[in-house]
Amino acid sequence: TSNARLDYFERHWLYFAGFGFPVSFVSLLCPRFIDAGVFALFFPLFILTATRAEPKALQKSPELLQRLPLFVAVQGTSCLLVRLFESRLGAGAADTKRAAVVR
């Protein structure tokens, strides 16, 4: 489910942040032509290593760093919108039923 994927991402945030950092840092420092070559060289290597990686959750760290809630605002907004649409659809269905009973 999407909630399990978000939870996985939030628990392994340090792995995902550090995975592309070296190439991004080199890209920032190098001229455009060299940057393209470095990216073309390392990107396939990163794809291959990502398929074999098994990131571990942080265990020996402060509680605040073990899970970084990056998507709290997005999840809250989407839940609010779903509840809003459900309440409007539920009210519309109830009005339709009442109209059918009255006829």
Side-chain angles (χ1 to χ4, degrees):
T1 64
S2 62
N3 286 337
R5 290 178 184 165
L6 287 176
D7 185 56
Y8 182 83
F9 185 83
E10 289 176 349
R11 291 194 185 282
H12 300 90
W13 67 272
L14 191 59
Y15 170 78
F16 291 111
F19 189 74
F21 179 75
V23 171
S24 299
F25 187 69
V26 169
S27 298
L28 180 69
L29 297 177
C30 292
R32 181 75 174 139
F33 184 72
I34 295 172
D35 164 40
V38 168
F39 185 79
L41 181 66
F42 285 115
F43 187 71
L45 179 68
F46 283 169
I47 295 296
L48 292 174
T49 58
T51 59
R52 300 296 300 169
E54 295 177 10
K56 295 181 172 72
L58 293 173
Q59 295 174 355
K60 296 180 180 179
S61 63
E63 187 69 29
L64 292 174
L65 295 178
Q66 286 186 2
R67 186 173 184 266
L68 190 64
L70 296 172
F71 300 103
V72 170
V74 175
Q75 284 179 319
T77 304
S78 64
C79 287
L80 180 69
L81 289 174
V82 167
R83 287 183 190 142
L84 179 70
F85 287 132
E86 283 179 346
S87 67
R88 289 195 179 207
L89 288 176
D95 290 344
T96 306
K97 287 181 184 177
R98 281 190 215 123
V101 170
V102 172
R103 290 183 191 178

